[in-house]
Amino acid sequence: MLYFGMVILSLQELLSTTYVCVHVCISKFYVCPAVEMKKPALLSAALLLLFFSGTSAQGNTNFRVQVNVPPTNIKTYNTSTAYRGSLFGGLTRLKYSNQGFNFQYIPHDDYGPFLQSVNGLAGNSSHYWQLLSGTTPLNVGMGCYLPTANEVVTLKYTKI
């Protein structure tokens, strides 16, 4: 599979037609049925996209997630996300890794996923889940935040 932002295409799907033109514009690409290309040329274009996107060449970004429920309950988990992948992807991978971590979220069309509960403890009228990098609050949500290698992302149960 080739992963480019929010679009996932298999190489087999791309090669199944000869009526495909791939345009590259900074970090985005577009596929249009305008120009007929031969399969070898398309394969070369796909390989160039892989090279310049860095998704396969760079591998995963490993980081830690710390769940902090004051005053003393702190648990740390190891996870990863795709290169340039979001915190949401890393939390989802962690959820299915059988390390005892679970989370629930509310999807929001405009603002992305909103963290609702962690390990069965939900936010309420007096507490919410704060997202931090180290001790610094994140300025974006878990759907937009891109963790760095070896970073510690803290999910802190915080009083309002």
Side-chain angles (χ1 to χ4, degrees):
M1 288 282 199
L2 300 175
Y3 177 79
F4 299 96
M6 298 301 291
V7 178
I8 301 175
L9 298 172
S10 72
L11 190 55
Q12 186 176 15
E13 289 174 279
L14 286 175
L15 294 178
S16 67
T17 178
T18 57
Y19 295 94
V20 174
C21 174
V22 178
H23 300 275
V24 178
C25 177
I26 303 174
S27 64
K28 297 180 182 178
F29 77 98
Y30 306 94
V31 178
C32 66
V35 178
E36 179 175 345
M37 296 180 67
K38 298 199 182 294
K39 288 182 182 179
L42 181 58
L43 181 58
S44 297
L47 291 173
L48 281 172
L49 285 172
L50 270 177
F51 178 75
F52 288 112
S53 71
T55 55
S56 293
Q58 298 294 332
N60 290 338
T61 300
N62 297 313
F63 65 100
R64 290 186 307 248
V65 174
Q66 185 178 77
V67 177
N68 183 347
V69 181
T72 59
N73 189 356
I74 298 174
K75 294 181 182 174
T76 303
Y77 305 89
N78 294 313
T79 190
S80 64
T81 190
Y83 176 70
R84 295 185 182 158
S86 70
L87 174 59
F88 179 73
L91 292 178
T92 302
R93 186 172 284 166
L94 177 57
K95 179 178 180 176
Y96 295 111
S97 70
N98 296 320
Q99 294 185 50
F101 175 85
N102 194 11
F103 79 105
Q104 293 182 333
Y105 65 95
I106 300 170
H108 191 282
D109 292 340
D110 294 319
Y111 303 112
F114 177 77
L115 187 59
Q116 183 179 22
S117 71
V118 176
N119 294 340
L121 183 59
N124 54 43
S125 61
S126 63
H127 288 82
Y128 71 102
W129 284 101
Q130 184 180 24
L131 307 176
L132 304 113
S133 174
T135 59
T136 305
L138 302 185
N139 59 2
V140 295
M142 64 181 177
C144 293
Y145 186 72
L146 308 180
T148 58
N150 304 313
E151 179 178 4
V152 177
V153 175
T154 302
L155 311 178
K156 184 177 181 183
Y157 195 65
T158 304
K159 188 171 180 145
I160 295 176

